[in-house]
Amino acid sequence: MPKVLVSDPIDQAGIDILSQVAQVDVNTGLSAAELVRIIPEYDALMIRSGTQVTKEIIEAGNLLKIIGRAGVGVDNVDVPAATRKGIVVVNSPEGNTIAAAEHAIAMMLSMSRHIPEANASVKSGKWERNRFIGVEVYKKTLGIVGLGKIGSHFAASAKAMGMKLLAYDPFISAERAEQLGCRLVELELLMRESDYITLHIPKTPETKHLINAEVLSKMKPTARIINCARGGIIDEAALAEAIKEGKIAGAAIDVYEHEPLEADSPLRSVGQNIVLTPHLGASTAEAQVNVAIDVAEQIRDVLLGLPARSAVNIPGIFPDSIEKLKPYLQLAETLGNLVSQLAGGRVDYLNVQLQGELANNQSQPVVVAALKGLLSQALRERVNYVNASIEAKERGIRVVETRDASIRDYTGSLHLMAKGTLGEHTVTGAVLGENEIRITSVDDFPVNVSPTHHMLFTLHRDMPGIIGKIGSQLGSFNVNIASMQVGRKIVRGDAVMVLSLDDPLPEGILAEIIKVPGIRDAYTVNL
Ligand SMILES: NC(=O)C1=CN([C@@H]2O[C@H](COP(=O)(O)OP(=O)(O)OC[C@H]3O[C@@H](n4cnc5c(N)ncnc54)[C@H](O)[C@@H]3O)[C@@H](O)[C@H]2O)C=CC1
Ligand SMILES: O=C(O)C(=O)COP(=O)(O)O
């Protein structure tokens, strides 16, 4: 039974799902050294933001197939190191969207109405109505940095509260912003014109200290900033200083550059114009159930050999297309494996052509699957959907992708051409019915065969007696033929023969087959 390590607190609903297929060890609060020591036993790791999954941990995880982040941000995982090692990293892109947006809204309102201090004051026996005069958000300008899922939900709620909306997000269109009631602007204008600024962007090398002393200096002295995205996007020392010196009116912060927040952080000494929460954005009962189920299901699927819905490091596989593409991914992998063997292994060029209906689909997963198959002879189980593209690039394989929707021999088909040490070879395949894979041409000779483990391909002259000779050669080596097909373009011209064999071809037999008069070439293929 595979083993899953859960190293941060997650909802029981997730543990129950994992327990169906794996031994689950919940062990929270481990040090980095302890993790490095125990990770070699585990097939999967499930985390939240509390565990830093470093390169060292990933490299020690020799059995690891998947790292599941029960939440959105994967900035605590060394994703490039995981990719390099072929470990899929998944998250829950939507499970805590509402929780995080509602927390940011709560932060905006509680900061505006001094709710934390008023609450503390009443509880300490006081009644200070004049001390806590607040401000309204109605008709104020809200600047949203990052108009993704959380930013958009905040936008809808803020609009309902009568706020004017600005947004800065270099990756979304002005039309999309407009649909959400926002005016898309540059960051500088947003900082200058907003009364409230809320951050909803990921932490990346580009967003580190995006909000620094200089950017903060553009804000109005009456403006307030909210960070429920990630620590380190705001320069904390600069923020503390800006509030203390009255350059801005206040801040509400949920996330910190170092968590837990250090005892001597300058943010702790700002006083009453700052609201601090201990990374609570996703901490609702609902969100925790959502993310735990979402990620546990993906870990379960990957451990069962199925694809993950929300992998952050498998290029371009969108959840919706996975189901539809599944048989084609299998086809692409088989054809990639086949064409690499026909081309002699050291392939330096691969053309992947999506034909018929397949041409209207997302191509990247199909290309990745073809590369996985192509590299499987060389890399065996070390290559997978996660690292196939990187491995191909490192080997200098040029990959070209084409589409031709007008080829309608089958509903959808896939044509691969590879150049390798044995020259240029092509294979085509199709999916029949639900998921029956067929090889439909080899080197442009039409055939119709189901791929099997052991196969023999010959290029020969179409002439009487040749098939019988090969049959008896194989018989003399005690190799049983399961099926045989000949493909030719013209009678008595060149032809290919495709044989499915029950047994692997013994050493030496290929050399004998090539000696048969009329045989030009012969290849064995193991799929
Ligand atoms: N406090 C908490 O507990 C939680 C925090 N988060 C944080 O919130 C972030 C946003 O989450 P979602 O909205 O779900 O992500 P999302 O991916 O839907 O949206 C992020 C948006 O940021 C934009 N963006 C990326 N780089 C940018 C840049 N340099 N400048 C401006 N915009 C940029 C993207 O185009 C995208 O529209 C997450 O990355 C995570 O770090 C998420 C959930 C809970
Ligand atoms: O989902 C995210 O990105 C979060 O920041 C939530 O973090 P958490 O799972 O509560 O440690």
Side-chain angles (χ1 to χ4, degrees):
M1 213 182 198
K3 286 178 76 177
V4 182
L5 175 63
V6 177
S7 63
D8 285 317
I10 68 151
D11 193 89
Q12 184 62 35
I15 313 272
D16 292 345
I17 291 168
L18 294 173
S19 304
Q20 295 165 3
V21 296
Q23 176 190 318
V24 184
D25 294 345
V26 181
N27 197 345
T28 58
L30 293 166
S31 70
E34 284 166 331
L35 253 171
V36 170
R37 190 172 54 74
I38 66 169
I39 203 70
E41 298 171 36
Y42 290 97
D43 300 273
L45 173 64
M46 186 160 178
I47 54 158
R48 282 175 57 196
S49 62
T51 304
Q52 293 296 321
V53 189
T54 60
K55 191 172 178 189
E56 214 189 344
I57 293 167
I58 287 167
E59 275 170 5
N62 279 333
L63 294 180
L64 270 189
K65 287 167 200 66
I66 176 164
I67 299 168
R69 194 307 188 206
V72 180
V74 288
D75 46 287
N76 52 325
V77 179
D78 189 335
V79 178
T83 305
R84 197 70 197 77
K85 212 166 152 70
I87 300 169
V88 57
V89 180
V90 302
N91 69 351
S92 171
E94 289 168 12
N96 61 25
T97 303
I98 304 298
E102 287 185 359
H103 193 70
I105 295 164
M107 293 289 257
M108 175 175 76
L109 294 174
S110 62
M111 166 168 61
S112 301
R113 303 304 291 269
H114 309 294
I115 289 172
E117 305 81 38
N119 170 62
S121 161
V122 175
K123 286 187 175 163
S124 72
K126 298 183 192 148
W127 191 255
E128 304 178 287
R129 284 174 29 101
N130 289 335
R131 195 182 143 205
F132 299 119
I133 307 286
V135 286
E136 292 173 13
V137 301
Y138 180 66
K139 287 205 169 160
K140 297 283 165 40
T141 299
L142 172 72
I144 303 173
V145 179
L147 203 49
K149 291 180 285 296
I150 299 170
S152 302
H153 191 73
F154 196 142
S157 309
K159 200 164 182 294
M161 287 191 280
M163 299 186 84
K164 287 181 267 175
L165 307 181
L166 300 178
Y168 167 67
D169 188 326
F171 306 106
I172 75 144
S173 66
E175 291 74 44
R176 167 81 184 136
E178 210 170 294
Q179 279 169 8
L180 294 163
C182 301
R183 184 156 67 92
L184 202 60
V185 296
E186 285 307 314
L187 183 62
E188 187 178 333
L189 192 143
L190 179 144
M191 297 303 291
R192 263 196 285 118
E193 295 199 354
S194 300
D195 301 300
Y196 292 88
I197 294 155
T198 186
L199 308 180
H200 300 291
I201 53 179
K203 166 99 177 283
T204 62
E206 293 76 41
T207 61
K208 181 164 191 238
H209 288 188
L210 179 73
I211 310 297
N212 53 30
E214 210 224 312
V215 176
L216 287 169
S217 74
K218 311 270 190 268
M219 284 172 67
K220 300 182 199 175
T222 51
R224 294 170 169 85
I225 189 161
I226 303 143
N227 185 10
C228 290
R230 266 303 169 273
I233 296 174
I234 304 185
D235 177 340
E236 290 171 357
L239 176 69
E241 195 181 309
I243 304 172
K244 278 183 191 162
E245 293 184 0
K247 290 181 185 158
I248 68 171
I253 308 292
D254 184 46
V255 284
Y256 307 91
E257 195 150 358
H258 300 286
E259 294 183 6
L261 183 64
E262 303 100 334
D264 60 351
S265 160
L267 295 179
R268 290 194 195 256
S269 59
V270 168
Q272 74 163 14
N273 291 327
I274 196 161
V275 178
L276 304 176
T277 51
H279 200 151
L280 293 181
S283 294
T284 63
E286 297 86 345
Q288 282 315 304
V289 171
N290 291 343
V291 297
I293 292 177
D294 194 358
V295 171
E297 283 180 350
Q298 297 188 69
I299 294 178
R300 178 197 61 197
D301 288 356
V302 168
L303 292 179
L304 293 174
L306 301 168
R309 309 188 266 279
S310 310
V312 301
N313 61 345
I314 298 184
I317 301 201
F318 297 126
D320 295 350
S321 35
I322 282 190
E323 273 309 308
K324 201 166 152 208
L325 280 179
K326 232 186 244 169
Y328 286 102
L329 299 182
Q330 182 62 53
L331 173 68
E333 203 177 320
T334 305
L335 295 184
N337 190 350
L338 172 59
V339 82
S340 83
Q341 294 183 61
L342 295 179
R346 204 164 294 155
V347 170
D348 56 17
Y349 177 86
L350 177 72
N351 180 287
V352 180
Q353 186 177 63
L354 284 76
Q355 304 176 333
E357 249 178 34
L358 189 59
N360 304 324
N361 274 278
Q362 201 198 346
S363 61
Q364 210 172 359
V366 178
V367 174
V368 172
L371 286 173
K372 175 175 184 269
L374 190 89
L375 294 168
S376 62
Q377 289 296 318
L379 301 177
R380 302 282 150 189
E381 58 286 337
R382 209 169 70 60
V383 64
N384 60 21
Y385 283 93
V386 179
N387 61 8
S389 302
I390 296 184
E391 293 284 354
K393 202 168 167 192
E394 281 180 0
R395 281 170 170 69
I397 301 174
R398 200 154 82 80
V399 183
V400 174
E401 178 196 318
T402 51
R403 291 158 188 269
D404 192 340
S406 69
I407 298 176
R408 291 258 165 204
D409 300 341
Y410 296 88
T411 319
S413 51
L414 186 67
H415 178 78
L416 302 189
M417 189 273 267
K419 290 183 196 166
T421 36
L422 297 178
E424 198 174 299
H425 286 270
T426 67
V427 290
T428 312
V431 177
L432 306 191
E434 281 286 280
N435 46 22
E436 205 185 319
I437 290 174
R438 287 292 165 81
I439 301 166
T440 57
S441 88
V442 174
D443 287 338
D444 298 326
F445 291 97
V447 293
N448 189 336
V449 284
S450 303
T452 52
H453 281 317
H454 311 293
M455 302 186 85
L456 171 66
F457 291 79
T458 68
L459 177 65
H460 62 269
R461 261 203 36 237
D462 179 28
M463 57 189 215
I466 200 157
I467 295 171
K469 278 189 197 131
I470 294 196
S472 48
Q473 285 259 3
L474 292 172
S476 70
F477 279 86
N478 201 24
V479 174
N480 203 33
I481 301 171
S483 76
M484 196 278 293
Q485 271 245 345
V486 175
R488 59 187 188 181
K489 292 178 199 161
I490 51 164
V491 175
R492 297 207 181 219
D494 281 339
V496 295
M497 193 177 343
V498 183
L499 295 117
S500 301
L501 310 172
D502 287 335
D503 315 287
L505 219 55
E507 285 279 314
I509 188 171
L510 209 57
E512 294 303 312
I513 288 172
I514 290 172
K515 282 186 205 151
V516 172
I519 296 280
R520 303 233 160 100
D521 230 331
Y523 310 88
T524 55
V525 164
N526 294 302
L527 295 175

